[in-house]
Amino acid sequence: AVVSTQSTGVKHSDKPVSGRVWKVKKEKRFSALGNDVAVKSSFEKKMLLKKQKQNIRELAAQISEDKASKEEMKRKRQEENKKRRMENEKKCEVVQNITNTKKLKKIKKKHLRSIETR
C-alpha cells in the first residue's frame, strides 16, 4: 500500500501547525517596515497649522495671565481683610494705663506676661 504524503493545498487559518496561537505571521521583513514615504503637506496647510498653534499659545498665555491676576487680587483682598480685622480688634480692646510704674514690681509674673507696652 502506497501512502501519498502530498498536501491538498488548503491552509487552515484558524490555528498554526506549531500550536503557538499567540504568534502572528509576519507579512513584511523588519527592514521594510519603516520605508513608507511621508505624505507631504502643502505650504498653505503648514502656514495654517503654524497660525493655529500661535493662536493656541496666545490663548494659553492669556488664560494663565488671567489666573495670575485673579490670584493677586485674592491675595490683596485677604491682606486688606486681615489688616481691617486687626484694627477692629485694637479698637474694641479695653486698655488701662499704668501711671505708677512702681506697681509693676508688685505684680505677679503671670500677670506681667499679659501686659503690653505701647
Side-chain angles (χ1 to χ4, degrees):
V2 176
V3 178
S4 175
T5 57
Q6 195 176 27
S7 66
T8 58
V10 178
K11 291 185 178 179
H12 297 288
S13 62
D14 53 344
K15 188 175 178 185
V17 176
S18 64
R20 296 182 170 117
V21 292
W22 61 89
K23 293 205 168 191
V24 181
K25 186 178 177 187
K26 296 177 188 172
E27 295 166 0
K28 290 183 178 180
R29 289 182 177 263
F30 182 74
S31 60
L33 287 177
N35 294 338
D36 295 335
V37 178
V39 178
K40 293 183 180 179
S41 59
S42 66
F43 182 73
E44 290 81 20
K45 281 187 180 180
K46 285 181 184 177
M47 295 311 290
L48 184 67
L49 283 172
K50 188 175 179 181
K51 197 169 190 176
Q52 286 176 347
K53 284 183 182 179
Q54 183 65 28
N55 289 341
I56 289 171
R57 276 194 220 107
E58 288 174 0
L59 186 64
Q62 180 68 30
I63 289 171
S64 63
E65 189 178 306
D66 291 345
K67 188 177 179 183
S69 65
K70 283 182 183 178
E71 289 289 327
E72 181 68 22
M73 288 174 57
K74 184 179 178 183
R75 188 185 60 78
K76 282 184 179 179
R77 192 171 61 244
Q78 286 175 343
E79 285 180 7
E80 289 171 0
N81 288 345
K82 189 176 181 181
K83 190 176 180 182
R84 191 172 60 243
R85 205 176 296 124
M86 292 295 289
E87 288 173 358
N88 288 341
E89 283 180 16
K90 289 211 175 199
K91 281 181 188 175
C92 71
E93 284 180 350
V94 177
V95 180
Q96 184 177 5
N97 291 332
I98 300 173
T99 54
N100 188 3
T101 54
K102 292 180 181 177
K103 287 184 181 179
L104 291 174
K105 292 182 181 177
K106 296 178 185 176
I107 295 175
K108 294 182 180 179
K109 296 279 185 185
K110 281 189 177 180
H111 192 64
L112 266 173
R113 289 185 192 128
S114 64
I115 294 175
E116 292 180 7
T117 56
R118 290 187 192 160

